[in-house]
Amino acid sequence: MARRPAKASGSITRGSGVALGEAVFRSLCEALQAGSYRAGDRLREEEVAQRLKVSRTPVREALGRLAARGFVAPAAGRGLIVRNLDISEVLELYAMREIMEGAAARLAAEHASAPEIDALGDIEQAFVEASASNAPEMARLNRAFHEAICRAARNRYLDNASRELQDWIALLGPTTFTVAGRSATSHSEHLVIIEAIAARDGDKAEQLARAHIREALRCRLKLLQKQ
């Protein structure tokens, strides 16, 4: 059965002050996060250029950067394919995610402003209101929740590293919110993390955030066993 063609949404907006190659690279990374590109999808310069309405030169530059980061690999014939991570890479990825999410929660407990803590509650309320059948929307809100904690941590290096980690997680395919019961347990875990941050308890916030990621890994492994 032929694979569906990968798609990137929209065209590149010029005039933003961002170099065209960088804009294409960012667009492709966003497409990975949105699930427009999945493991095994083929990327060809000419197709990406047509979809984004740019020349092939910035696309070639962006694809080279994706290859250098290990997100794509040469395909048989022409083009590149989005990589499929093996189990050892998944375990390594979640080990780093546990460390980084724990650090972010600890720092957020020290630095988050009252409006930032309120915003976490607002995101979580939207998460609760999202339909349990709409796993992609829950995944989007979950990313927003963790990104908000990372911003509240006030550490640009942690923020940058977390963004790159999210690109890798996008290669794993279906969200863990497709696992039965995960949305409910995730909500409970988010609430206690918010409470610890609001209480300025860095130790507890880190402990809870790390436990949250370990549970996410358990669900990820469940999904991988079904593939």
Side-chain angles (χ1 to χ4, degrees), residues 93-170:
L93 177 59
Y94 272 85
M96 282 306 302
R97 189 180 179 198
E98 181 183 334
I99 292 168
M100 291 167 62
E101 295 285 359
R106 171 181 287 277
L107 290 171
E110 297 175 8
H111 300 296
S113 65
E116 286 174 318
I117 295 172
D118 289 341
L120 286 173
D122 292 340
I123 294 170
E124 192 56 27
Q125 182 59 38
F127 180 87
V128 171
E129 292 171 358
S131 170
S133 63
N134 191 352
E137 176 62 7
M138 301 191 82
R140 185 190 69 79
L141 290 165
N142 183 65
R143 284 195 302 271
F145 178 83
H146 288 282
E147 287 168 0
I149 290 177
C150 206
R151 285 193 300 272
R154 303 285 192 278
N155 189 303
R156 70 192 71 184
Y157 303 105
L158 178 61
D159 191 39
N160 289 338
S162 294
R163 289 177 187 277
E164 180 168 347
L165 207 64
Q166 282 299 324
D167 292 337
W168 283 103
I169 290 170

Side-chain angles (χ1 to χ4, degrees), residues 39-81:
D41 282 339
R42 186 183 296 264
L43 302 177
R44 293 187 175 90
E45 282 182 19
E46 60 271 26
E47 292 177 354
V48 174
Q50 288 173 7
R51 293 184 191 283
L52 298 180
K53 298 180 174 60
V54 297
S55 70
R56 292 175 62 173
T57 299
V59 173
R60 186 177 304 121
E61 175 189 334
L63 291 177
R65 289 178 63 183
L66 287 177
R69 291 175 69 179
F71 293 157
V72 296
R78 300 177 60 192
L80 300 165
I81 59 170

Side-chain angles (χ1 to χ4, degrees), residues 6 24 30 40 43 55-56 62 68 70 76 80 87 91 96 100 106 119 175 182 188 221:
V24 172
E30 288 168 2
L43 302 177
S55 70
R56 292 175 62 173
L80 300 165
I87 188 63
L91 293 174
M96 282 306 302
M100 291 167 62
R106 171 181 287 277
T175 171
R182 179 54 186 153
S188 299
L221 295 177

